[in-house]
């Protein structure tokens, strides 16, 4: 059971995505099992389930910075229920976590949500309490009861290399290991953000959407941290409205997390055609290719515009 309904039209587009991606993986000796996507568009009738297609939607993968959308939603949920207090540094962190994909901003929010800080070593008893508190973000999303969130893990901070001190001990103790998302989990959250969902009041949903907005004409478009060039929104038609969050790792000293490039995108194309696309990739020869994801985004946009 999924939040979307498979349709022949989107499965046809999905087949084109696979036909484009598979030979690239093969030519670079990267297993095609390290590629996945979920593609949806709004239901033709108001209130219906979105239409969709997917390949390996349940692939449990290291998510890079896509987890930051979950952290943004978690912060808004806790602001709404009063367990988190609004303040200027939180506002700045939520903005920079998405706009520039700041790990420092993200880790500040994780500290606030969980009541933990990464620092020098703790005794065993204190460390056990610390690890239990670090599960808070997992508990926030488990409480939603969405089947698409099965198997995800959100109990680790975001790092640019290896972990030390409490963060290393916590990773070693975590049964789930590193952070983990599936394409279907990411797609479901994006659907809830951009639909008339009961997840959050409209003002908080609007704040999340505003953080995710990307401007193809922004002067900062060329900065890698803006996460538009080299990702799904890079080659969309002029005039497309874009909301997205991407993530990428190079070598991190840990094979469980190195060489990934993912993106999750909402696009409204000229003429009003809309779609949501989430793509996960793994493998150095693919993750280092700045043209791979833009070509997929352009392919989907051309097909969506040609259908209606």
């Amino acid at each position: 059971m999924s939040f979307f309904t498979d349709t022949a039209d989107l499965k046809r587009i999905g087949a084109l995505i696979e036909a484009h991606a598979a030979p690239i993986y093969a030519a670079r000796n990267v297993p095609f099992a390290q590629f996945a996507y979920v593609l949806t568009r709004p239901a033709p009738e108001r209130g219906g389930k979105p239409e969709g297609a997917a390949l390996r939607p349940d692939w449990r993968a290291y998510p890079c910075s896509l987890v930051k959308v979950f952290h943004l939603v978690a912060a808004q949920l806790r602001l709404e229920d009063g367990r988190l207090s609004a303040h200027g540094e939180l506002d700045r962190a939520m903005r920079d976590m998405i706009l520039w994909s700041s790990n420092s901003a993200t880790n500040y929010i994780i500290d606030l949500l969980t009541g933990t800080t990464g620092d020098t070593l703790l005794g065993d008893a204190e460390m056990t309490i610390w690890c239990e508190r670090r599960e808070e973000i997992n508990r926030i999303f488990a409480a939603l009861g969405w089947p698409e969130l099965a198997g995800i893990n959100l109990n680790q901070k975001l790092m640019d290399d290896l972990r030390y001190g409490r963060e290393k001990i916590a990773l070693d103790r975590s049964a789930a290991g590193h952070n983990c998302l599936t394409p279907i989990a990411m797609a479901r959250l994006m659907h809830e953000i951009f639909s008339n969902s009961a997840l959050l009041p409209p003002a908080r949903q609007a704040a999340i959407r505003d953080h995710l907005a990307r401007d193809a004409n922004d002067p900062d478009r060329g900065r890698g941290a803006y996460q538009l060039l080299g990702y799904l929104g890079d080659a969309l038609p002029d005039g497309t409205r874009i909301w997205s969050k991407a993530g990428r790792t190079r070598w991190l000293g840990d094979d469980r997390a190195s060489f990934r490039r993912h993106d999750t995108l909402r696009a409204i194309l000229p003429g009003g055609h809309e779609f949501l696309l989430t793509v996960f990739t793994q493998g150095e020869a693919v993750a280092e290719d700045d043209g791979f994801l833009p070509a997929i985004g352009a392919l989907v946009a051309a097909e969506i515009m040609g259908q209606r």
Side-chain angles (χ1 to χ4, degrees):
M1 196 71 177
S2 174
F3 74 94
F4 65 83
T5 300
D6 287 338
T7 65
D9 283 346
L10 291 197
K11 288 173 76 173
R12 182 188 64 82
I13 298 174
L16 294 175
I17 294 173
E18 295 166 40
H20 171 81
I24 295 173
Y25 269 72
R28 298 172 185 180
N29 294 314
V30 179
F32 194 50
Q34 295 175 180
F35 175 80
Y37 71 85
V38 176
L39 170 64
T40 66
R41 66 183 175 195
E45 297 181 2
R46 186 177 179 85
K49 292 175 70 172
E51 301 175 339
L55 175 70
R56 301 185 190 92
D58 299 319
W59 178 30
R60 298 183 70 253
Y62 182 77
C64 309
S65 291
L66 267 63
V67 292
K68 294 170 183 176
V69 183
F70 283 77
H71 293 130
L72 178 60
V73 170
Q76 291 292 337
L77 287 167
R78 286 296 179 252
L79 285 166
E80 181 63 21
D81 68 18
R83 283 184 265 184
L84 192 59
S85 297
H87 57 281
E89 281 299 276
L90 175 58
D91 291 340
R92 188 169 73 99
M94 288 190 291
R95 180 198 67 201
D96 291 352
M97 174 175 69
I98 303 300
L99 179 61
W100 305 118
S101 202
S102 167
N103 286 346
S104 296
T106 307
N107 293 342
Y108 177 68
I109 291 170
I110 292 171
D111 286 346
L112 292 174
L113 289 169
T114 65
T116 63
T117 58
D119 207 332
T120 52
L121 296 177
L122 297 172
D124 285 346
E126 292 175 296
M127 193 67 203
T128 297
I129 294 170
W130 189 98
C131 289
E132 193 279 331
R133 288 176 178 167
R134 184 55 76 78
E135 292 295 323
E136 179 62 17
I137 301 172
N138 280 333
R139 287 191 286 267
I140 289 171
F141 286 98
L144 298 177
W146 301 345
E148 293 88 356
L149 301 187
I152 71 170
N153 181 48
L154 304 165
N155 67 7
Q156 302 293 318
K157 280 192 170 179
L158 281 290
M159 301 290 175
D160 296 316
D161 53 23
L162 296 174
R163 296 160 193 272
Y164 300 89
R166 297 178 196 176
E167 299 298 336
K168 174 62 163 64
I169 300 295
L171 178 59
D172 290 345
R173 286 192 180 191
S174 173
H178 278 292
N179 285 334
C180 177
L181 287 179
T182 62
I184 195 68
M186 188 71 255
R188 173 69 191 268
L189 187 63
M190 288 288 282
H191 167 71
E192 296 293 332
I193 290 168
F194 291 104
S195 64
N196 295 320
S197 167
L199 176 63
L200 283 162
R204 295 205 180 278
Q205 271 190 292
I208 293 170
R209 294 172 185 176
D210 287 347
H211 283 305
L212 291 167
R214 305 281 164 185
D215 182 356
N217 297 311
D218 193 287
D220 290 317
R221 168 191 169 92
R223 298 183 185 276
Y226 195 67
Q227 294 186 327
L228 190 60
L229 295 184
Y231 295 96
L232 293 170
D234 186 0
L236 297 180
D238 290 345
T240 299
R241 297 172 63 196
I242 298 168
W243 298 258
S244 69
K245 182 70 192 81
R248 177 184 184 181
T249 59
R250 286 176 159 159
W251 183 81
L252 296 176
D254 186 340
D255 289 341
R256 297 171 296 175
S258 297
F259 296 118
R260 272 72 167 172
R261 191 188 293 223
H262 313 316
D263 200 2
T264 187
L265 165 88
R266 182 210 189 195
I268 300 179
L269 301 165
H273 310 298
E274 179 180 346
F275 67 91
L276 288 171
L277 177 60
T278 297
V279 177
F280 281 25
T281 74
Q282 178 179 334
E284 181 175 359
V286 175
E288 293 292 294
D289 182 351
D290 288 338
F292 183 77
L293 289 180
I296 291 174
L299 182 159
V300 172
E303 293 299 321
I304 293 285
M305 291 180 72
Q307 286 185 1
R308 294 182 175 179

